[in-house]
Amino acid sequence: SNVTFKIGINVKRSWNVLIRNISFYDYQDDGVNVGYPETHHIWIDHCTFGHPVALPADKEVPDGGCEIKDGASFVTVSWCKFQNHWKTSLNGHSDNNGATDAGRLKITYYANYFYNTNSRNPRVRFGQVHVLNNLFENVGLGRTGQLGYGIAASNNSQVVAEANFFLDTRWPMFADRTTTDFTA
């Protein structure tokens, strides 16, 4: 059975790391935070991120479920469930971090289930991300004043999305060109 942590895990300046069969609930910042250019070949597999019952009232806490940033590369997120979460999975944390992230952030999302989430499924800046065979259900619906979406690509990122299934999803995928477009 899965182990439940109410804290997150930071993976920095590490390689060949496997995070598997862990449920992340009620963490204050990120469930899993993977970062720094020296961080590579990380596999996050069969984990659960988010609230076990309902979308939290606070849109800011917890922050990201699984975030990959600061030039980390060769990361796979597979067979994970992201549920009842506002900001699910960010790749590349800032519009101003291109010097560190460009040419890195090579990430694969495979066979994950995004259920009752609002955004960042994933949100990609600068990286090269492959999103395949994922199920998105009830993404970005029924949240007044909230921009709900599945996959987002921006800031010179390259996203290949294939064989994903979107059920009751407001915006399955979009690429933002400017801040104005994104907020509109």
Side-chain angles (χ1 to χ4, degrees):
S1 68
N2 284 2
V3 175
T4 301
F5 282 143
K6 290 190 176 189
I7 59 172
I9 294 176
N10 285 324
V11 181
K12 299 190 182 285
R13 295 183 181 95
S14 303
W15 52 92
N16 297 333
V17 174
L18 169 60
I19 298 170
R20 188 163 199 235
N21 292 331
I22 301 175
S23 294
F24 295 91
Y25 300 130
D26 298 330
Y27 41 90
Q28 289 300 301
D29 192 12
D30 300 327
V32 173
N33 179 12
V34 179
Y36 289 107
E38 301 88 354
T39 305
H40 56 88
H41 293 90
I42 309 298
W43 185 17
I44 302 158
D45 183 62
H46 283 87
C47 293
T48 301
F49 298 90
H51 195 275
V53 178
L55 199 64
D58 187 344
K59 293 183 272 293
E60 302 303 320
V61 177
D63 190 15
C66 178
E67 299 206 343
I68 303 159
K69 52 196 177 188
D70 289 326
S73 207
F74 303 108
V75 179
T76 298
V77 180
S78 61
W79 296 100
C80 291
K81 182 176 184 183
F82 296 90
Q83 65 186 22
N84 304 315
H85 209 293
W86 287 98
K87 300 179 284 184
T88 308
S89 192
L90 179 65
N91 300 169
H93 76 284
S94 169
D95 290 348
N96 301 318
N97 212 44
T100 301
D101 290 341
R104 295 185 177 95
L105 296 176
K106 297 174 189 315
I107 304 161
T108 299
Y109 286 85
Y110 174 74
N112 299 291
Y113 181 32
F114 297 89
Y115 175 74
N116 198 34
T117 60
N118 189 67
S119 61
R120 299 180 182 177
N121 299 290
R123 162 82 154 89
V124 182
R125 292 182 177 104
F126 305 108
Q128 297 174 332
V129 178
H130 193 185
V131 184
L132 72 151
N133 292 354
N134 297 281
L135 171 59
F136 299 79
E137 183 178 358
N138 194 32
V139 173
L141 298 178
R143 296 161 184 81
T144 305
Q146 296 298 315
L147 175 67
Y149 59 86
I151 305 164
S154 67
N155 300 78
N156 298 313
S157 63
Q158 298 171 347
V159 176
V160 175
E162 62 180 321
N164 296 296
F165 187 79
F166 299 91
L167 177 64
D168 296 329
T169 296
R170 185 175 179 195
W171 283 350
M173 182 175 180
F174 75 91
D176 68 317
R177 294 171 297 284
T178 67
T179 303
T180 306
D181 290 341
F182 188 75
T183 56

